[in-house]
Amino acid sequence: MNIAQLLPIILLVLVFYLFIIRPQGKRRREFLDMQGKTTVGSRVMLTSGIFGTVNALNDETLTLEIAPGVEIEAHRNVVAKIVEPAAITDDAPVDDAPVREADQRPLDEDGKA
């Protein structure tokens, strides 16, 4: 067989490696690193979109507090990302518009102002 006949196959394997196998391995490593950084007290988002704070960690599961007094147990693989606390800035818009007297009138029996 001639090397010129094998060149398209070699190029196809190389392209397949560069565009599919290598990025998938990188995503897998990042996912495992993120799972390793998950600790008790971390705020996380699950793949289902549920946000919560990690209260307990086991080898395969974690316990999340999604509301005060409401805890759920989930598999560790469903953690999509660790949520960083948003920085509070003083640049937030404030609604200081004056209230008109017409807006404060009581409603009548029909529910009209």
Side-chain angles (χ1 to χ4, degrees):
M1 244 195 195
N2 193 346
I3 191 81
Q5 292 173 338
L6 291 177
L7 191 60
I9 295 173
I10 293 171
L11 288 175
L12 184 64
V13 169
L14 181 66
V15 167
F16 186 75
Y17 172 77
L18 289 176
F19 288 110
I20 296 176
I21 296 173
R22 192 165 169 245
Q24 186 178 16
K26 183 179 177 185
R27 280 191 302 270
R28 178 73 178 153
R29 281 190 303 277
E30 289 172 354
F31 178 74
L32 291 174
D33 288 343
M34 186 259 319
Q35 277 190 338
K37 292 178 184 176
T38 304
T39 59
V40 174
S42 297
R43 181 138 174 90
V44 297
M45 182 183 81
L46 303 182
T47 55
S48 60
I50 296 174
F51 289 86
T53 304
V54 178
N55 282 347
L57 285 170
N58 295 331
D59 290 338
E60 293 186 10
T61 62
L62 53 87
T63 303
L64 285 179
E65 182 175 19
I66 57 174
V70 180
E71 292 185 347
I72 60 172
E73 188 173 4
H75 199 275
R76 287 182 77 155
N77 287 344
V78 299
V79 175
K81 67 179 180 178
I82 298 175
V83 180
E84 299 295 328
I88 299 174
T89 63
D90 293 332
D91 299 340
V94 178
D95 187 17
D96 288 335
V99 178
R100 297 182 316 186
E101 256 186 63
D103 294 339
Q104 296 179 356
R105 288 187 296 187
L107 299 176
D108 60 7
E109 294 173 4
D110 296 334
K112 298 179 183 176

